[in-house]
Amino acid sequence: MKKKLLMILISICSLPLSAQSNNDTAVVLELFTSQGCSSCPPADELLDEIREEYQDQNVFVLSYHVDYWNRLGWRDPFSTEEFSDYQRDYGSQFRSRSIYTPQLVVNGSEHFTGSNRYKASDALKKYTKAKTTNSINVNNLKQNGNSLSFDYQVNGPDFNTITLALVVSERTTNIARGENRNRKLKNTNIVATRTVKRDTNGMVAITIPNWVNKNDKLSIIGYTQDTSLRTTGATKVDI
């Protein structure tokens, strides 16, 4: 009996550890991008590479498509004014004179050009060691046609808001006009809708945008922020 118990303990201790199960750290990368911006495709590609490389760790990537490039010949189908306003909030927090694309914001704490591989690598090394103060539970997901609802709960102190983003895993688009005309662009973890709450728990009901189709792989990425927009916790749930 003792020998059998010892073998079980050895087997358990030998199991590979995955950072995905460790809620003490979280890295949230928010890329502000546009299909109408000729400088954005390299940043979109880098974000996709990061998603693939860190898929088994607590690294969460999101593409926020802004709308201020739409007037230059190509309307980005994933863009909204709301996401541009969110980027302006970061601009105010970072005391920037203007906003730009592609901009990569890491844990709400620093920003740089989204195609800068050196700075992205350096930020990932730094923030994968930073401890979070909040954990997030998302459950009771229910989908009925284009309606989606779920419950959330935030554990831990010192958070100001929780963002709950409906994310489309990836899309490839043929660009007909604008700075990227005649190019085929791939976008990763596209934010379809963004809901912001301040309560520690509650229910969220959203309407899935018309451009999302039944073949898209969807997920909910939730992340908490303090009053300075710094990330304090994050999670992801596949739908």
Side-chain angles (χ1 to χ4, degrees), residues 58-74:
N58 284 343
V59 175
F60 309 90
V61 306
L62 304 100
S63 296
Y64 281 103
H65 287 240
V66 297
D67 71 339
Y68 48 84
W69 281 93
N70 290 352
R71 65 184 183 275
L72 299 180
W74 176 257

Side-chain angles (χ1 to χ4, degrees), residues 22 28 42 53 55 65 75-76 108 118 142 164 172 199:
N22 177 11
V28 175
E53 182 176 353
Q55 61 181 321
H65 287 240
R75 185 189 180 282
D76 188 326
Y118 174 79
K142 299 176 183 177
L164 297 148
T172 300
D199 299 323

